[in-house]
Amino acid sequence: MKIAVLGGGNGSYAAAADLSEAGHTVRFWRRERSAFGPLAETRRLTVRDFRGVREVEIAVVTDDIGLAVRGADLILAPLPAFAQEDLARRLAPHLADGQVIYLPPGTFGSYLMARTLRDAGSTADVAIAETGTLPWLTRKHASGEVAITTRATRLPTGVFPARRTDEALAVIAQAFPGAIEPVEDALSGALMNAGPIIHPPLILMNAGPIEHFDRWDIHNEGTQASIRRVHAALDAERIAVREALGYGAPHFPLADHYETSNWMYGNLAHDKLVGSGDWHEHLNLKAHRYMSEDVALGLAFLVSVGEWTETPVPVAAGLLAIAGAAAGDDFRRTGRTLERLGLAQMTPAELQAMLREGL
């Protein structure tokens, strides 16, 4: 396929390398060409994974978003959720009927981007899908090197609008063969997002060592039994919200990430993550995307949906309040919520119809 990979983060670099190596024609876009460094000229990425170290050539490296997405079958955007609205405005003049946008993960960005595209004047009939995690556990080591610790084997994916699920997933499955698992709709996909479950307890309950030490591994030294119990309680609230909305199993409980081979990254994913050493890193508690994305957007969204469905979410609400105090922000007011998305006044039937048919 022709695939546009958008963004300059860990996931975007892994995507450009993996999808190019799989034989797809990848057009890799960032807002500023200079941010690519030498990659802008060489078009060669160094990949480090269980197979060793090698170079992969990228077909197109560009800061021209029109060039990147024109004629692309799939537009893959592993950007932080807080960048989705701006990205949609940049995409609006360039999209064409039938294209598929994939947000891994999405934080209900599928709806936000669809609304932003419409408001920006785009009439293209596109499908926007989202899943619960990045397809890679990965870190960039330099501008021209990406280390991939492991790849997702199960990607529960919902599509907006849901009426286009079959055609959208057929496209996405060509990029991630054997990994895509359909879920009911985009909201179901959003409530598979693992980031707002795994990261808020890890950063808040490790706030002291994160701010004291220059480098701290929240997944190794920072994942202790007491924190795992908070994870379990928070994830139980997420699953209760999904059930209140009528979404069925599998709910991909976070416990499977630690205890079984059934989670999104398959067997021993947590052990591989810790063993790589790539997450023994410096964290700015206020600025890191664990706070600015997983708490401010993802956790705020979970709390708002829980309250809309009248599902008790005391652990999620408590963590959100503590995070707001730590960051000096009122995430209930500034975060991604049903209220701020303009959806809180909808009835469940109205929301389900919109998820199915689109805007």
Side-chain angles (χ1 to χ4, degrees):
M1 293 190 298
K2 296 176 182 176
I3 301 177
V5 174
L6 310 182
N10 300 306
S12 298
Y13 273 72
D18 247 16
L19 296 173
S20 295
E21 195 167 36
H24 302 289
T25 300
V26 170
R27 303 158 181 174
F28 192 8
W29 171 86
R30 294 187 70 168
R31 289 176 175 84
E32 296 181 8
R33 185 175 178 84
S34 61
F36 280 117
L39 179 64
E41 304 303 326
T42 67
R43 295 187 293 108
R44 302 188 73 83
L45 264 176
T46 300
V47 181
R48 185 184 304 273
D49 64 7
F50 73 97
R51 288 184 290 169
V53 181
R54 60 203 177 278
E55 284 195 337
V56 176
E57 185 172 344
I58 313 300
V60 175
V61 176
T62 184
D63 60 358
D64 182 342
I65 198 167
L67 173 63
V69 304
R70 193 175 304 119
D73 305 291
L74 177 65
I75 300 168
L76 184 67
L79 284 81
F82 51 73
Q84 291 164 346
E85 198 167 3
D86 175 70
L87 178 64
R89 285 191 288 265
R90 292 172 183 265
L91 285 172
H94 306 291
L95 296 176
D97 289 351
Q99 289 183 303
V100 177
I101 301 171
Y102 195 29
L103 310 176
T107 320
F108 208 42
S110 52
Y111 166 77
L112 178 62
M113 287 188 67
R115 191 186 71 184
T116 304
L117 288 170
R118 179 201 62 187
D119 294 348
S122 175
T123 59
D125 185 13
V126 299
I128 308 177
E130 59 181 273
T131 187
T133 190
L134 276 176
W136 310 268
L137 288 177
T138 182
R139 280 291 186 269
K140 290 190 297 178
H141 285 300
S143 60
E145 180 177 321
V146 61
I148 299 175
T149 300
T150 193
R151 295 164 174 85
T153 56
R154 303 180 70 188
L155 291 169
T157 300
V159 178
F160 185 86
R163 60 180 170 80
R164 294 197 55 188
T165 294
D166 290 348
E167 58 189 280
L169 296 192
V171 171
I172 298 169
Q174 293 180 60
F176 302 99
I180 303 301
E181 299 187 22
V183 300
E184 297 90 342
D185 53 41
L187 180 54
S188 178
L191 292 171
M192 291 293 191
N193 193 346
I197 306 303
I198 192 170
H199 294 137
L202 290 179
I203 62 169
L204 294 172
M205 298 177 75
N206 284 283
I210 285 173
E211 293 194 328
H212 178 73
F213 296 107
D214 183 59
R215 291 156 61 88
W216 183 258
D217 190 338
I218 59 173
H219 299 288
N220 188 12
E221 298 94 338
T223 301
Q224 303 301 328
S226 59
I227 298 176
R228 286 284 310 281
R229 289 192 290 271
V230 175
H231 274 151
L234 178 60
D235 203 35
E237 293 178 0
R238 175 189 69 89
I239 292 171
V241 170
R242 285 182 50 79
E243 291 174 339
L245 288 163
Y247 297 136
H251 299 295
F252 286 81
L254 184 61
D256 285 349
H257 170 59
Y258 296 102
E259 299 167 5
T260 78
S261 60
N262 298 326
W263 204 63
M264 300 181 198
Y265 291 112
N267 197 25
L268 301 177
H270 178 72
D271 293 343
K272 292 176 182 176
L273 185 152
V274 171
S276 72
D278 285 337
W279 280 259
H280 187 71
E281 57 189 347
H282 175 73
L283 295 177
N284 182 319
L285 192 59
K286 291 180 65 173
H288 198 280
R289 63 187 291 182
Y290 292 161
M291 182 72 80
S292 59
E293 179 175 21
D294 293 330
V295 173
L297 304 185
L299 192 62
F301 183 71
L302 176 62
V303 170
S304 75
V305 178
E307 293 174 348
W308 183 75
T309 60
E310 299 183 348
T311 306
V313 286
V315 175
L319 288 168
L320 187 66
I322 293 170
D329 200 345
D330 181 0
F331 293 132
R332 280 180 173 267
R333 182 179 61 83
T334 63
R336 183 171 295 178
T337 63
L338 289 180
E339 290 79 12
R340 294 199 72 213
L341 290 171
L343 301 175
Q345 301 306 314
M346 277 189 168
T347 67
E350 289 170 339
L351 182 62
Q352 288 173 0
M354 186 269 291
L355 291 168
R356 181 177 63 252
E357 299 300 329
L359 300 177

